[in-house]
Amino acid sequence: MRTSIFYAAALLCLPCVTARAQDVPRPESPAHLAARTQWWREARFGMFIHWGIYAVPASAAGGAEWYLSGSRVQVKDYEKLAAQFNPVRFSAAEWVRAAKNAGMKYIVITSKHHDGFCMFRTTLTPYNIVDATPFRRDPMAELAVECRRQGIRLCFYHSIMDWHHPDYLPRRPWEAETRPAAGADLNRYIDYMEGELRELLTNYGPIGVLWFDGGWEHSAAELRSAEVNRMIRSLQPGILINDRNQLPEDFSTPEQTIPASAMAGGRLWETCMTINDTWGYTKDNTNWKSAADLVHKLCDIASKGGNFLLNVGPTAEGVFPRPILERLGEIGDWMRVNGASIHGTTRSPFRRLAFEGRCTAKRNVLYLQVFRWPDEGLTLSGLQTPVLEARTMDGQRLRVTRAAGAETTYVSRPARLDPIATVVAVRLAGAPVVTQTALAQEPGADGAFVLGAADAEIHGTTAQYEQGAQRDNIGFWTVPGDYVTWVCRAPAAGRYRVEVTYACPPENAGSRYSVGVEQGGSVQGEVKATGDWGAFRAEPLGELDLPAGAQILAVRVREMPRGAVMNLRSVRLVPVR
């Protein structure tokens, strides 16, 4: 087996895991978890930086940061890129300032990507930016100083996958002959990775997040993830750890997508997303998202209680491409006026808004982030808390009215509109209380109610609303105690036929469920196989008596024998003539 010169010495000096890291930690109280994660939840917006020697070829065709894999380069040839990497224009002060001016509160930077090249000073391998490049500087140390000086939290991305290390398995298919796996030991690699993490967590001061990636080729047991996480927390007790070393830990990480709703059970989450189509810098990808699109995504994420980790890919010279700086500047201009509607906010109390925009909340203030203004102004349905005043973030006072006897509040249209999003701060007499608007019967011949997944209130820990890619349903329903409800208003008492539209593959079919009125009757059904999770079918269940007025209708699980219930799209109630 060929052992890289970059690891020959490292194999002799790997640190051992201390007894402290092996101790079983005490369960964390909800109060301690809330205190530990408070800064991150209040930040809402961070900068992701993918930077490494893959910026030298800067090839989108090769997969940018996946260049070694995408171009099927041999490790010995990829190593030569290090000698060409000399980011003489790198300025930690400018990078941190760009993030801060954009309204970002933390930076997550690649300490090591899948290519195994360390972007920090390490004693474990010469394959690092200080020893293997003409740059001879440690950018992580310089960023740590600037982050502390400018009030930004420094966080590290660290790849579990390492295509360069002789002990990481599996090998890439095209290098089976040049780098045979005989003699490789994944456990020895995990020891090495722990050594890297110890350096990162002891040499750069307080670190806000350890952002793992590349753990999908192995189980948590194979990666010794519980042990590794204990070691991390022993060195930095306040740190947050993501979910990518095959354990849930502190938060989930949807990639290049925004969930349709808040995560079940108040689970913390963070969407990571590129400004163009690649994470690392590429010379030929110019599909840049607009600043308006990025601000709208930030508002959408904050309205659902999530964080937005927006990626930049610096060049091999150490600078952000001009289109990235332009977009960060435009976002910063918007954030300087409207940042209070993002930072420190919680998710929207409204399930649905009657205008194109989003809503966040902070104590007794609602922030309405309006992307497109209706000529007649804004309508807020179900808001029970009295409104004291409404002002745009640039100081325009707006008229607020409420229809007599109705649960609807109206906010007038301002004279000046922000071209990206105009934000209205609605100050309330107390914490916002919003009631779910009752669904009325559909106009038409049959007078049916259609209770769609988007209008449902989801109760529990795993079930969540899905949308996009032919999805418009409640999915991830894997806990039988989870249930969903709607409020519907019948003009008079009557009897209704119940029809449920759902999807379920054969291996998960067999759950029994009920559809019924709270404190009233119900009908029961059994989930049948429809083909797969996207093959929706309408199934009649029986008849149900519905009292007059507003009623809560619920779908509850009676039995769940095969790991999941169904993807529920709608419940339809048709009057019996």
Side-chain angles (χ1 to χ4, degrees), residues 495-563:
R495 194 165 183 81
Y496 292 79
R497 293 196 307 274
V498 180
E499 182 181 274
V500 180
T501 299
Y502 65 85
C504 186
E507 61 268 24
N508 296 105
S511 293
R512 297 194 60 81
Y513 66 99
S514 66
V515 178
V517 179
E518 296 286 293
Q519 310 300 323
S522 65
V523 290
Q524 296 191 21
E526 180 176 327
V527 177
K528 300 179 177 61
T530 66
D532 58 44
W533 288 118
F536 288 91
R537 178 189 302 169
E539 179 182 76
L541 285 194
E543 297 183 354
L544 178 69
D545 290 321
L546 195 64
Q551 305 294 328
I552 297 176
L553 188 132
V555 178
R556 296 181 182 272
V557 182
R558 303 291 184 180
E559 298 176 25
M560 189 190 74
R562 296 182 178 176

Side-chain angles (χ1 to χ4, degrees), residues 396-413:
Q396 301 175 76
R397 186 161 187 167
L398 306 181
R399 185 177 68 259
V400 179
T401 57
R402 187 177 177 90
E407 297 182 353
T408 305
T409 301
Y410 303 94
V411 180
S412 66
R413 179 187 172 105

